[in-house]
Amino acid sequence: MTGRPFPTQRRHTLFFLDQTRDFAPVHLDTEVDATAVVAARSAAHDAGLRRSVVSYVVHAAAGVLAKHPEANAAIHGRLDPTVATFDTVSAKVTLDRVLDGHRVVLATVIPDLEHAGLADIQEHLDRVAAQDPDTAEEFAGIRALRLLPFKDALDRFRAVAGLLDRRPEITGTFSVTSLGHRAVDGFHSVGGTTVTLGIGRIADRPVVRDGALAVAPVLRLSLTFDHRVIDGAEAADVLTEIKDALEAVPA
């Protein structure tokens, strides 16, 4: 056996897992008829516009969570917990990036989604995707954690994570993570928020329409929720309404 030090490039992931140790996850999933999303993306492409599947999911989920304040919330504390609901909606979106030569998971928070359109969401995602994690201000906090002694870095991460009133800007009020670029049909993830959406690939599958069998592009969409904050019925409503919104995306 050979051992090696834990890579400092992934410290933030280790600290994040420490922060979510009290999470009480319950997992739901559904299938979305992605015909409308595929058609809308194609029309956007023909018009010279980029529209990712993630941007459609973020936009749909933001509209739903604005109507479900109980789910657009966060909790802090173990013995005497506090639950905060927010009057703004923001999404934490995970990113597959390279930091100092190591493949890592980073994240960006898209704020004020109650006022954002699809184009605004896509512009944010494209801007962050074009940045270099080794130099971009967006990821300065992650880089700073690498420079501190391990215990000091962990204490700083915990202190920031404990600021309940700043959750919308630091962690988002919900999370979106996608592995749909690979042959992954579905997965469940804990994003550190009350609601985390997991996006799988879009693949042609059999569907029933008006009693007849057809083939359509289908998206597997999962929702993991923190049972400390909401119950299954509320989470099921949220997932169903997101599914309905995606299936009704205008071309």
Side-chain angles (χ1 to χ4, degrees):
M1 183 189 79
T2 59
R4 59 183 175 86
F6 190 88
T8 59
Q9 294 89 341
R10 296 192 64 245
R11 268 188 179 182
H12 61 283
T13 298
L14 197 63
F15 297 162
F16 166 76
L17 294 173
D18 169 79
Q19 183 231 331
T20 59
R21 68 192 184 281
D22 292 332
F23 202 93
V26 179
H27 310 292
L28 311 177
D29 67 74
T30 190
E31 291 189 342
V32 177
D33 184 337
T35 301
V37 171
V38 170
R41 292 187 71 203
S42 178
H45 180 270
D46 291 345
L49 302 173
R50 168 176 157 74
R51 293 290 183 266
S52 66
V53 175
V54 170
S55 66
Y56 284 102
V57 172
V58 168
H59 188 253
V64 171
L65 285 168
K67 297 182 292 184
H68 287 267
E70 296 85 357
N72 191 56
I75 189 171
H76 180 68
R78 179 179 292 182
L79 298 179
D80 187 19
T82 299
V83 177
T85 56
F86 304 108
D87 57 6
T88 185
V89 183
S90 56
K92 183 183 81 172
V93 179
T94 59
L95 309 166
D96 175 24
R97 304 304 301 274
V98 174
L99 177 64
D100 191 24
H102 284 252
R103 190 176 187 181
V104 299
V105 176
L106 297 176
T108 184
V109 174
I110 310 175
D112 303 322
L113 286 171
E114 67 275 15
H115 304 303
L118 191 64
D120 301 312
I121 295 168
Q122 191 65 58
E123 185 278 331
H124 181 109
L125 293 174
D126 290 344
R127 174 177 54 79
V128 174
Q131 294 177 346
D132 181 356
D134 289 334
T135 58
E137 181 64 26
E138 178 96 13
F139 307 113
I142 297 299
R143 296 194 302 271
L145 289 176
R146 299 181 57 199
L147 303 177
L148 296 171
F150 186 91
K151 180 64 165 56
D152 292 344
L154 176 58
D155 288 344
R156 178 173 296 187
F157 191 97
R158 285 175 171 172
V160 172
L163 300 174
L164 199 58
D165 60 328
R166 293 189 59 195
R167 291 286 182 89
E169 62 186 279
I170 295 174
T171 66
T173 63
F174 72 101
S175 301
V176 176
T177 183
S178 173
L179 293 176
H181 63 294
R182 303 297 286 172
V184 175
D185 291 323
F187 69 105
H188 300 85
S189 175
V190 172
T193 49
T194 295
V195 168
T196 300
L197 298 169
I199 305 172
R201 64 175 175 168
I202 294 177
D204 285 342
R205 302 185 189 279
V207 299
V208 177
R209 290 178 174 165
D210 299 324
L213 190 64
V215 175
V218 172
L219 167 69
R220 286 284 298 279
L221 183 67
S222 70
L223 185 152
T224 297
F225 69 93
D226 190 340
H227 209 337
R228 297 174 302 168
V229 183
I230 59 173
D231 294 323
E234 181 78 13
D237 288 346
V238 169
L239 182 58
T240 299
E241 290 174 32
I242 295 171
K243 166 186 165 72
D244 291 344
L246 289 169
E247 291 182 343
V249 166

